[in-house]
Amino acid sequence: MNIKKRISEVIRRLKKEYPEPKTALSFKRPFELLVATILSAMTTDVHVNKVTKNIFKKYRSIRDYAESSLPKFQKDISSINFYRNKAKNIQASAKMIMEKFNSKVPRTMDELLSLPGVARKTANIILSNAYGINEGIAVDTHVKRLADRLGFTKNEGPVKIEKDLMDITPEEEWGNLSHLLILHGRKVCQAKIPKHEECTLYDICPSKDI
């Protein structure tokens, strides 16, 4: 089985296991997803959702974030790792979106990357989950680990891993692939001890003997 057929089979099998692949981050509007995604770096989605449940009630609009007291906002998210810098980036992004993008979260990769605190992973998550646009593949620690174990990349950096995955994955599946690998990585293909007996990919996994 060549690599393109194998990744198609991986997607087919994982869709059976996880029929509704989507981000675990809670949001109703694109800017809420931007906030949640920035907060999620080095922090679990479960914890982010606990924090955003409260701040999304307090900060209702992009203007609320832009005009908030930075020390108060930092205090509101202080249980999040690196909360000081994240608060600064969120507030700066809110101001830029108001000033440059007519108070609308951008819908292109280049524009999103111009926002403070936004790299390709965050931009891909927003484009795919908020707008249904497949511009690339969001690469987090789970995607990186599974892409390596499944033999889809030999690279270490997220940008190169993303390119490797984009080269072999049908474009319409770019958004799904990230979610499927994350879900499988959390539930089965865990970092320390993969649950081989539960893995639907075991027979086609090049790393099944680890």
Side-chain angles (χ1 to χ4, degrees):
M1 186 183 298
N2 67 39
I3 195 168
K4 288 189 175 181
K5 287 184 178 179
R6 186 149 47 85
I7 201 163
S8 293
E9 180 65 11
V10 165
I11 292 169
R12 185 188 71 80
R13 293 188 189 188
L14 291 182
K15 279 185 174 180
K16 282 190 174 183
E17 294 289 314
Y18 316 101
E20 295 183 2
K22 60 182 180 180
T23 180
L25 295 170
S26 299
F27 73 99
K28 291 182 179 178
R29 293 175 286 276
F31 192 77
E32 289 184 346
L33 180 58
L34 173 61
V35 170
T37 307
I38 289 175
L39 294 180
S40 71
M42 304 297 289
T43 305
T44 66
D45 291 350
V46 171
H47 185 62
V48 170
N49 287 339
K50 288 181 181 178
V51 173
T52 56
K53 183 178 181 180
N54 294 319
I55 65 171
F56 288 168
K57 292 177 183 176
K58 185 173 182 179
Y59 303 91
R60 297 282 187 170
S61 67
I62 295 176
R63 183 176 295 277
D64 288 341
Y65 290 92
E67 297 181 351
S68 66
S69 160
L70 181 58
K72 286 183 179 179
F73 183 47
Q74 288 176 331
K75 185 177 179 180
D76 288 336
I77 64 168
S78 60
S79 65
I80 297 282
N81 291 327
F82 310 110
Y83 70 91
R84 290 186 179 87
N85 281 336
K86 290 178 180 180
K88 290 177 183 177
N89 285 333
I90 289 169
Q91 187 172 73
S93 289
K95 290 177 180 178
M96 184 179 290
I97 289 170
M98 288 180 63
E99 294 167 2
K100 293 187 63 177
F101 302 111
N102 196 29
S103 295
K104 292 181 173 59
V105 176
R107 300 170 67 101
T108 70
M109 177 64 72
D110 287 344
E111 289 174 333
L112 284 168
L113 292 177
S114 73
L115 299 176
V118 175
R120 281 195 64 91
K121 184 186 82 169
T122 297
N124 277 320
I125 290 170
I126 293 165
L127 290 172
S128 177
N129 294 278
Y131 297 129
I133 297 171
N134 284 326
E135 183 77 15
I137 297 171
V139 176
D140 74 346
T141 55
H142 298 290
V143 174
K144 178 180 178 180
R145 182 174 70 255
L146 269 69
D148 174 63
R149 287 180 177 176
L150 289 166
F152 296 141
T153 185
K154 293 181 179 179
N155 285 303
E156 292 290 325
V159 173
K160 290 183 177 180
I161 292 171
E162 180 186 6
K163 184 180 185 305
D164 289 341
L165 292 174
M166 289 169 66
D167 286 345
I168 60 175
T169 306
E171 185 174 342
E172 65 272 15
E173 298 289 2
W174 286 355
N176 284 330
L177 179 66
S178 180
H179 294 316
L180 291 168
L181 294 181
I182 289 169
L183 289 166
H184 198 60
R186 286 176 176 156
K187 184 180 179 182
V188 177
C189 193
Q190 297 169 352
K192 292 184 178 179
I193 305 176
K195 299 178 182 178
H196 293 310
E197 69 282 359
E198 298 179 25
C199 187
T200 187
L201 306 176
Y202 182 75
D203 61 305
I204 60 170
C205 180
S207 303
K208 60 187 176 183
D209 294 326
I210 63 172

